[in-house]
Amino acid sequence: MNILFAEDDERLGKLIHHLLQKEFSCADWVKDGKTACDYAQFTQYDVIILDWMMPKMSGIEACQHLRKNGYKGGILFLTAKDSLEDVIEGLDAGADDYIVKPFKFEELAARLRALSRRIDKPFEEVLSCGNLKLNLNTRTVTRGGEIIELSKKEYDLLELFIRNQNYVLTREILLERIWGFDVEVTENALDALVKLLRKKVDQPGEPSIIKNVRGVGYILRNADV
């Protein structure tokens, strides 16, 4: 299950993010509603967890924005609001479920599993770009049937590129998605990681499929498109 968690409380956010990663392996954490919507634009999440009160864009506003822009996955609210009116407002905004603070993580995990089962979505096992294949179950990468050995960050970067092939990904998005928004890392580190990935996935004697967009970021071009 791929989860996006939006919570502006630093202490609670770090704790829940750690537990989500431990339980479900794939979980991103952001601190405001606008960033949650930006992340959802570039990554396919099975479930998005939204805190009700957040800066820049509230959970309600983020939920409405996500549904308006076609997000089909599950949305679960975390809120201290427990009145019937608040519950109705959240569900009417497009949420599928809610959980009232304080809560136990075991209940949150159970609700996420139940929500994921209810969402009608195809499970995508293999992502591809031409003859470059990325298996989400085994985390293996092949090109023309040959296995390519990648580090964790190289794999994460390639997955992000393939999911958004033929779309420009800004340096800011790439840095946040690969290293996290609360980690200080230079753009040189991103350029070095892209260089390493190119060496492993590009065909000898052919132009790189990962193009630099000067002053903006990078784009993975699918030669078949």
Side-chain angles (χ1 to χ4, degrees):
M1 195 188 311
N2 196 13
I3 298 170
L4 176 62
F5 171 48
E7 167 63 63
D8 65 318
D9 183 280
E10 188 78 20
R11 187 182 64 83
L12 178 62
K14 283 185 176 180
L15 174 61
I16 298 301
H17 182 226
H18 170 74
L19 293 173
L20 287 171
Q21 287 185 310
K22 185 177 180 180
E23 180 75 19
F24 299 106
S25 296
C26 297
D28 293 323
W29 172 35
V30 298
K31 297 181 180 180
D32 64 79
K34 183 179 183 303
T35 305
C37 292
D38 291 342
Y39 269 48
Q41 180 182 355
F42 292 105
T43 302
Q44 297 176 357
Y45 292 104
D46 300 303
V47 180
I48 298 178
I49 306 169
L50 297 173
D51 180 36
W52 189 290
M53 300 298 294
M54 291 186 291
K56 297 184 181 179
M57 184 182 289
S58 70
I60 288 288
E61 293 170 330
C63 182
Q64 292 171 333
H65 178 88
L66 289 165
R67 292 307 190 199
K68 182 179 179 180
N69 286 272
Y71 176 69
K72 303 296 185 183
I75 295 179
L76 182 147
F77 270 120
L78 293 181
T79 177
K81 297 173 176 287
D82 59 356
S83 70
L84 178 59
E85 292 77 10
D86 292 327
V87 172
I88 292 173
E89 182 182 2
L91 296 176
D92 283 346
D96 300 286
D97 200 355
Y98 70 95
I99 188 168
V100 177
K101 298 177 180 179
F103 58 88
K104 291 187 176 182
F105 179 76
E106 290 79 6
E107 179 185 0
L108 174 61
R111 286 177 180 264
L112 290 173
R113 288 190 292 267
L115 185 55
S116 180
R117 289 193 296 268
R118 293 204 305 267
I119 301 301
D120 182 17
K121 62 183 188 305
F123 181 72
E124 193 173 25
E125 295 183 349
V126 178
L127 302 178
S128 63
C129 177
N131 66 350
L132 184 63
K133 309 290 183 183
L134 185 150
N135 189 300
L136 297 174
N137 286 334
T138 61
R139 290 180 68 87
T140 56
V141 176
T142 61
R143 184 155 197 183
E146 296 291 327
I147 295 178
I148 301 173
E149 298 291 341
L150 298 180
S151 69
K152 181 182 184 303
K153 279 188 170 55
E154 290 168 349
Y155 177 93
D156 292 342
L157 181 60
L158 180 60
E159 179 182 349
L160 187 59
F161 276 137
I162 293 182
R163 286 187 183 277
N164 301 279
Q165 56 191 284
N166 300 309
Y167 288 92
V168 176
L169 296 177
T170 66
R171 287 178 170 273
E172 181 181 16
I173 287 291
L174 291 169
L175 287 169
E176 288 182 353
R177 291 289 287 108
I178 302 304
W179 280 275
F181 62 87
D182 56 348
V183 176
E184 291 188 9
V185 61
T186 67
E187 293 190 0
N188 289 337
L190 172 62
D191 295 333
L193 184 63
V194 170
K195 185 177 180 180
L196 289 172
L197 182 60
R198 280 172 168 162
K199 287 183 178 180
K200 294 183 178 182
V201 302
D202 286 339
Q203 297 277 33
E206 295 185 7
S208 177
I209 60 175
I210 304 172
K211 309 293 185 181
N212 178 40
V213 181
R214 187 177 298 275
V216 182
Y218 290 94
I219 182 172
L220 185 146
R221 292 288 190 188
N222 187 341
D224 296 337
V225 176

